[in-house]
Amino acid sequence: MSTAAGKKIAIVTGSALGLGYELARQLIGKGWFVAGIDFNTARQEELSRTFGADEYRAFVGDISDEAFVKDSVAAIKEIGHIDLLINNAGQPSFKKPVDYEAADVDKCLKGLKGMILWSVETLKADGEQDLKIANVMSTAATRGNANESVYCATKWGEKGYTTSLKAAYKGTSVKVVGVYPGGIDTDFYHDSHDYVSLDKQHSFMSAAELAEVVLFNLVNDANLTVSDILIERNYR
């Protein structure tokens, strides 16, 4: 018998830390089984011990590695029908326009590539029906920011992909949601303190509160879908 028997199944990429962890933790608190995807081996092992096999299964790898994506989704499909995919994983690069290098571009593009690969494989696994896909991006997908040119470019690409998925599955049981949060107080910025200071970072949104708001809109019994979630912090 599946360890997820009787539970809805969610895939959360970038589940080890920050917003991804809070999304996974709160889904589990709501009775969901979570397949958590992350490259952080030590943290994944810790989460597996914390939650147990009937609540969480860890998959360790690169979200943009096609073979890893295919193998993981196939394994998750054996557990049961996948009800929710949250494409949350991504890496930032905040620099002046002239300071960007090819490695920075590749780093940012991993999020877009992963979003596409996980969406495609999950859609195929579910027979393109009864699935909700939530693509967590950033308010950087809605505007240009001076020291985020490459990051914004990839987020705008993610928005284009999300919008196109919505058009492709309009009127079907596949629902696509774009999530656009502002700054979050996590280690996401740990390599960019020349641009995002610790003081500024600590003024950003709580990952736990943000996850609560996102899941309030994503996971409910209402016969409706909130198609876009734009969340910004209060200034006080």
Side-chain angles (χ1 to χ4, degrees):
M1 179 178 292
S2 166
T3 55
K7 295 185 175 184
K8 290 188 175 182
I9 297 173
I11 297 173
V12 179
T13 69
S15 62
L17 296 167
L19 177 60
Y21 163 70
E22 284 296 337
L23 290 167
R25 182 183 69 82
Q26 292 184 31
L27 279 168
I28 290 169
K30 294 177 181 293
W32 284 64
F33 178 88
V34 173
I37 318 299
D38 208 284
F39 61 75
N40 189 330
T41 302
R43 180 64 173 160
Q44 286 285 61
E45 291 174 351
E46 180 184 353
L47 294 181
S48 294
R49 292 191 299 269
T50 299
F51 294 122
D54 60 338
E55 295 180 326
Y56 187 87
R57 180 170 173 184
F59 293 82
V60 179
D62 181 344
I63 60 159
S64 64
D65 181 330
E66 187 172 28
F68 169 66
V69 177
K70 287 179 178 290
D71 290 346
S72 298
V73 173
I76 298 164
K77 179 59 180 173
E78 290 182 1
I79 299 171
H81 176 82
I82 302 166
D83 300 279
L84 173 65
L85 166 65
I86 302 182
N87 283 307
N88 167 75
Q91 293 180 285
S93 183
F94 302 145
K95 295 184 177 183
K96 295 178 180 178
V98 294
D99 290 339
Y100 278 106
E101 299 175 348
D104 301 310
V105 179
D106 292 341
K107 180 181 180 182
C108 288
L109 282 173
K110 278 182 177 286
L112 173 57
K113 184 177 179 182
M115 178 182 289
I116 295 170
L117 293 177
W118 284 94
S119 296
V120 168
E121 289 305 314
T122 305
L123 282 162
K124 290 194 293 187
D126 274 350
E128 296 180 274
Q129 58 185 350
D130 299 325
L131 170 66
K132 182 172 285 186
I133 298 174
N135 290 336
V136 179
M137 293 164 277
S138 165
T139 51
T142 67
R143 59 178 180 248
N145 295 325
N147 293 320
E148 302 178 17
S149 55
V150 171
Y151 182 67
C152 286
T154 55
K155 292 303 172 184
W156 280 57
E158 291 174 12
K159 182 180 181 180
Y161 180 70
T162 301
T163 303
S164 296
L165 276 188
K166 288 181 185 181
Y169 291 101
K170 184 178 181 180
T172 75
S173 60
V174 173
K175 305 303 178 185
V176 181
V177 180
V179 182
Y180 304 91
I184 312 169
D185 185 8
T186 72
D187 286 340
F188 188 73
Y189 302 96
H190 67 85
D191 290 330
S192 299
H193 285 147
D194 57 331
Y195 169 52
V196 182
S197 68
L198 282 173
D199 286 344
K200 182 176 180 180
Q201 175 189 317
H202 293 327
S203 73
F204 290 168
M205 292 182 287
S206 155
E209 291 178 349
L210 177 57
E212 184 177 355
V213 171
V214 170
L215 292 178
F216 176 80
N217 286 278
L218 283 183
V219 181
N220 55 61
D221 295 325
N223 185 29
L224 52 82
T225 298
V226 177
S227 63
D228 285 301
I229 307 172
L230 175 65
I231 308 170
E232 296 184 330
R233 69 188 187 278
N234 292 330
Y235 291 86
R236 54 189 170 192

